[in-house]
Amino acid sequence: MPRLHVNVDHVATLRQARREAFPDPVEWAQRVERAGAQGITCHLRKDRRHIQDADVANLRRSIRTLLNLECSLDSEMVTFALRSGAEAFCLVPETRQEVTTEGGLDAAGQLAALKETRQRMNDGGIEVSLFIAPDPVQVDASMAIGAQF
């Protein structure tokens, strides 16, 4: 059965652009849960351009559904993710020049690092997905890495 997960990143983007405390991504996450969403997704970027560390903690405390945290393969980000309380992680590529994620991970080119990180996350009881391009080579690499979805 399909499940609806809502990404609240752009709510945080608007908040950050306004340099205000609103709109609050946690409040929006609670609203979409009440409307029937089964999960919340947020992307904590290394440069913290939208979602902030406190947002992740507040989301985990405030929502009742699954929290899916998107993060890069950067060791600082992986360490934060493992301590966040999120039940699922999506590993994504990240460059400072992009406005939003513009392409998929090079799973084939980062096979060893992704496999090791996936294992660390799974050892912590966390499901892992990979943000990849719809390319058979990347799909095969994702299967070899052992990502759950």
Side-chain angles (χ1 to χ4, degrees), residues 73 89-93 104-108 110-111 114-115 117-118 121 127-133 138-139 141-149:
L73 194 54
F89 296 135
C90 181
L91 296 172
V92 300
L105 282 168
D106 180 7
Q110 297 178 296
L111 193 92
L114 286 164
K115 194 170 197 174
T117 300
R118 191 268 315 149
M121 291 176 164
E127 290 187 314
V128 176
S129 62
L130 305 176
F131 188 90
I132 62 169
Q138 300 303 330
V139 172
S142 296
M143 290 173 57
I145 290 163
Q148 283 73 54
F149 60 100

Side-chain angles (χ1 to χ4, degrees), residues 32-111:
V32 298
E33 273 189 332
R34 286 192 302 271
Q38 291 93 10
I40 302 298
T41 296
C42 66
H43 181 178
L44 182 67
R45 296 180 62 98
K46 189 166 174 68
D47 64 11
R48 309 306 200 268
R49 73 173 63 160
H50 41 63
I51 293 292
Q52 305 294 302
D53 296 37
D55 293 326
V56 176
N58 290 336
L59 282 165
R60 184 58 288 152
R61 277 194 303 275
S62 301
I63 65 171
R64 294 182 306 269
T65 57
L66 183 136
L67 177 60
N68 176 41
L69 179 60
E70 296 178 339
C71 67
S72 72
L73 194 54
D74 177 85
S75 62
E76 171 197 343
M77 301 310 298
V78 170
T79 298
F80 179 91
L82 288 167
R83 294 179 183 157
S84 71
E87 295 89 2
F89 296 135
C90 181
L91 296 172
V92 300
E94 191 174 296
T95 65
R96 293 202 185 266
Q97 299 79 22
E98 65 190 1
V99 174
T100 189
T101 306
E102 294 177 355
L105 282 168
D106 180 7
Q110 297 178 296
L111 193 92

Side-chain angles (χ1 to χ4, degrees), residues 3-5 13 23 50 66 92 101 110 116 119 127 136 140 146:
R3 298 184 327 183
L4 175 64
H5 285 239
T13 300
H50 41 63
L66 183 136
V92 300
T101 306
Q110 297 178 296
E116 186 271 329
Q119 187 63 57
E127 290 187 314
D140 289 343

